[in-house]
Amino acid sequence: MFRVGAAVGAKVASSSATLPLALSSASFSGTAAAAFVISSMTLGRNVVNQIGLKTPQAPVPPAKSVLTEPHTVDAEAILAKTAAMDAAEWSVDEIAKTLRESHLVTWGATGAVDPIQIAQGDGVYFTDTAGKRYLDWNSGAMCSNLGHTVPEEVIEAVVEQMRAAPYAYPCHTTVPIKAKLGRLMQELMPGDLNHFFYTCGGAESNEAALRMAKLFTGRSKVMARYRSYHGGSAATMALTGDPRRWTAEPAMGNVIRVFDPDPYHVSFGKTEEEIVANNLTHLREVIQYEGGHNIMAFFLESVTGTNGVLKPPAGYLEGVRAICDEHGILMVCDEVMAGFWRTGEPFGFMHSDPMIVPDIVTMAKGINGAFVPLGAVAVRDHIAEHFMDHPISIGTTYNSHPVGLASAYAALKHSLATGIGANAKAMEPVMQKHMNELADKHPAVRAARSVGLFGMVDLQKNSAGEPFVTYNGPPSPAIAAFNKELRENGLFTLFRWSSFMCNPPLIINEEQIAEAFDIIDRSFAPIDDAFEG
């Protein structure tokens, strides 16, 4: 059941059962967007279908796997070429051609993607190399919380750290900024979430949390939900419930999956109380089947991200916390997207009442506005105490990178001083008002919701509520055309099958939100034309 989540005057949202939400970007045009979905998602089905059938033939090695002539690095010649490149004016086509010849993109088929070439950022906007300006309606990858203009104090902190001590081997050396950031983070976190482990991003944070949970509990199983995404690494893809997991399978075993309060087709009830009671009963039963004493942790996004932007119903997080306590299961809240004021609160789990305290919290993205790579794991005192005299057995070269820590310390102080959390709260009813107006004007809008500045709009192809794109289904020409119109009219966002994201930088104001919805309204013709009534 879709709810409007803390929305003010929200349009009543109907069941989410037929509203599956594969990631395509407003930077893709027409057939490119379609090719992206086909290439990535068809690959997923093929991989699954091949498991257990026959062993694939070994690939034929390309020519020249062994060089007949030695490879030499001619520094003088290389520097001459780079000097020429630096002095030249690169055209849009030259950049695109060079990128195709030298790089691979994430998630999609490289040949099908035509990425926007960003030349300059400015607040909630960025400008491409052809001079076209876009309003960033998704904060990049839901991470540019402070927009595309780096605050001067963040620049100064990063430069100062690079000049003072640009790197410290995390196990045997450290820097003062780590202590300062630790104290600041302790002030942000509730309860006894007092110890932190710094990573390079969200997937790495969830990987570290998983390892900590196993070492702390000594248990072998982990629980996660179907409507979830926890990262693109091997273990975090195994935790992930959505179809992006398929291409990584067979993956890490012993992952138990449970239904969210909002499955696509199964209903746990009509009221929040009924939904919570029935879903928690389902959770208890699965734990009974698996043996609570075998389960190390339950990973869940406090507010579901790309799989719906779903705020949990009242009482759900509180009930999960109680069940985890009964069985000694660690509750791990993935705050990679929702954290650092995206929902109006510092972290998504803080919407619970009374406020729960997770055992572990994973985070990244908004911790420093994504100006440099950084993630973190927060753990409660009893878990940290275990690792005071037991090896944590997790280590990476860039753990607690001084430059990343300096950026976070400055960015968090800036966020507190400028009140981005208060702004996200204040803009929520503004966002919902425009969503309701869009729904009133366009019958193809099936539901819309926002928690702070974490939002999504779901589209339907008819009044029966059928989506344009079924769960992991083939792309829709209407969605691709709408996506193209948005881009041409100067708005960047991401699509999740029949839904599009509304996650602007947390510095956005009322006028800019109105500008975004004006673009969306003007770009809606392909959806209106495809609506069957």
Side-chain angles (χ1 to χ4, degrees):
M1 319 293 321
F2 267 165
R3 289 169 310 287
V4 178
V8 175
K11 177 183 178 182
V12 175
S14 51
S15 170
S16 64
T18 57
L19 275 178
L21 306 171
L23 204 54
S24 61
S25 163
S27 66
F28 301 170
S29 60
T31 56
F36 171 84
V37 177
I38 292 172
S39 63
S40 60
M41 294 308 169
T42 302
L43 172 61
R45 287 193 288 270
N46 288 344
V47 170
V48 171
N49 290 339
Q50 289 171 0
I51 292 174
L53 296 179
K54 62 180 182 179
T55 303
Q57 294 182 350
V60 178
K64 295 186 178 179
S65 293
V66 178
L67 298 179
T68 56
E69 299 291 334
H71 174 70
T72 59
V73 176
D74 187 333
E76 184 176 345
I78 293 173
L79 291 173
K81 289 180 180 179
T82 58
M85 287 192 291
D86 294 342
E89 290 287 338
W90 286 53
S91 70
V92 172
D93 290 341
E94 286 173 325
I95 294 171
K97 179 177 181 293
T98 303
L99 289 173
R100 283 193 299 272
E101 294 172 348
S102 58
H103 294 82
L104 297 174
V105 302
T106 63
W107 294 116
T110 298
V113 178
D114 180 22
I116 299 171
Q117 301 170 15
I118 299 178
Q120 182 69 49
D122 180 19
V124 300
Y125 304 94
F126 59 78
T127 303
D128 68 18
T129 50
K132 182 179 180 62
R133 190 170 81 155
Y134 300 81
L135 197 159
D136 185 356
W137 198 232
N138 197 58
S139 302
M142 306 87 163
C143 58
S144 298
N145 288 9
L146 297 176
H148 296 279
T149 302
V150 185
E152 282 300 318
E153 57 265 44
V154 176
I155 295 174
E156 291 170 3
V158 166
V159 171
E160 180 182 342
Q161 189 62 53
M162 293 184 78
R163 285 176 173 159
Y167 178 77
Y169 180 42
C171 188
H172 298 291
T173 61
T174 191
V175 287
I177 195 65
K178 187 174 182 179
K180 292 181 180 180
L181 180 58
R183 286 295 189 223
L184 191 159
M185 291 289 289
Q186 286 175 336
E187 294 293 330
L188 291 178
M189 306 302 298
D192 60 343
L193 284 159
N194 289 322
H195 292 78
F196 307 95
F197 185 88
Y198 299 105
T199 67
C200 289
E204 190 181 327
S205 293
N206 282 319
E207 286 264 0
L210 181 64
R211 297 269 293 278
M212 290 178 191
K214 179 174 177 58
L215 291 168
F216 176 75
T217 65
R219 299 178 180 182
S220 60
K221 297 181 181 181
V222 62
M223 196 158 52
R225 304 188 301 182
Y226 277 104
R227 292 185 75 166
S228 68
Y229 176 72
H230 294 291
S233 63
T236 57
M237 285 299 281
L239 290 175
T240 291
D242 77 24
R244 282 171 284 187
R245 177 185 84 249
W246 297 353
T247 57
E249 292 176 329
M252 177 186 75
N254 285 355
V255 178
I256 305 159
R257 241 171 279 286
V258 297
F259 282 121
D260 314 70
D262 295 277
Y264 287 119
H265 300 291
V266 175
S267 172
F268 283 107
K270 295 182 179 180
T271 67
E272 283 203 335
E273 293 78 7
E274 193 178 7
I275 290 168
V276 170
N278 290 334
N279 183 266
L280 293 179
T281 298
H282 156 69
L283 180 60
R284 287 182 184 277
E285 186 157 338
V286 172
I287 291 173
Q288 176 182 311
Y289 295 152
E290 298 290 342
H293 61 285
N294 296 319
I295 302 171
M296 66 178 88
F298 184 15
F299 277 72
L300 68 161
E301 295 169 283
S302 61
V303 177
T304 301
T306 52
N307 287 279
V309 185
L310 302 171
K311 182 181 178 182
Y316 173 73
L317 290 178
E318 299 89 324
V320 169
R321 175 71 274 181
I323 292 172
C324 286
D325 286 341
E326 288 174 22
H327 296 277
I329 298 169
L330 299 182
M331 183 177 183
V332 182
C333 281
D334 181 339
E335 294 280 351
V336 173
M337 284 190 189
F340 299 102
W341 299 285
R342 169 58 59 187
T343 68
E345 296 291 342
F347 297 95
F349 69 82
M350 291 183 174
H351 290 278
S352 56
D353 184 18
M355 187 187 297
I356 61 146
V357 179
D359 296 296
I360 301 177
V361 178
T362 61
M363 58 198 90
K365 295 184 184 286
I367 191 171
N368 63 349
F371 297 129
V372 296
L374 187 70
V377 182
V379 301
R380 296 180 66 183
D381 287 346
H382 66 287
I383 298 173
E385 186 63 31
H386 173 80
F387 292 112
M388 293 299 168
D389 51 15
H390 292 81
I392 200 167
S393 300
I394 310 166
T396 61
T397 300
Y398 298 117
N399 176 280
S400 301
H401 196 285
V403 176
L405 302 183
S407 72
Y409 186 63
L412 290 173
K413 290 194 297 179
H414 177 85
S415 298
L416 291 165
T418 56
I420 63 169
N423 189 60
K425 280 186 178 180
M427 291 301 105
E428 179 184 311
V430 176
M431 175 81 80
Q432 194 64 53
K433 170 181 174 290
H434 284 284
M435 286 178 167
N436 292 344
E437 291 173 353
L438 187 74
D440 290 341
K441 186 173 182 180
H442 302 280
V445 174
R446 185 175 186 273
R449 61 208 160 274
S450 183
V451 186
L453 286 170
F454 204 7
M456 181 172 276
V457 174
D458 306 319
L459 304 175
Q460 59 186 5
K461 69 177 182 180
N462 54 43
S463 56
E466 292 183 65
F468 283 94
V469 182
T470 57
Y471 187 84
N472 200 46
S476 159
I479 295 289
F482 177 41
N483 205 352
K484 182 180 179 181
E485 285 292 312
L486 290 173
R487 176 177 174 176
E488 290 180 351
N489 288 323
L491 187 134
F492 171 85
T493 193
L494 298 183
F495 277 75
R496 183 72 168 160
W497 295 318
S498 296
S499 304
F500 64 90
M501 311 290 183
C502 301
N503 307 317
L506 305 187
I507 61 172
I508 200 166
N509 59 37
E510 290 191 43
E511 292 75 19
Q512 292 162 337
I513 291 176
E515 177 187 354
F517 277 98
D518 177 65
I519 293 173
I520 293 167
D521 178 49
R522 289 189 285 112
S523 304
F524 224 81
I527 299 298
D528 287 336
D529 293 343
F531 185 70
E532 299 169 357

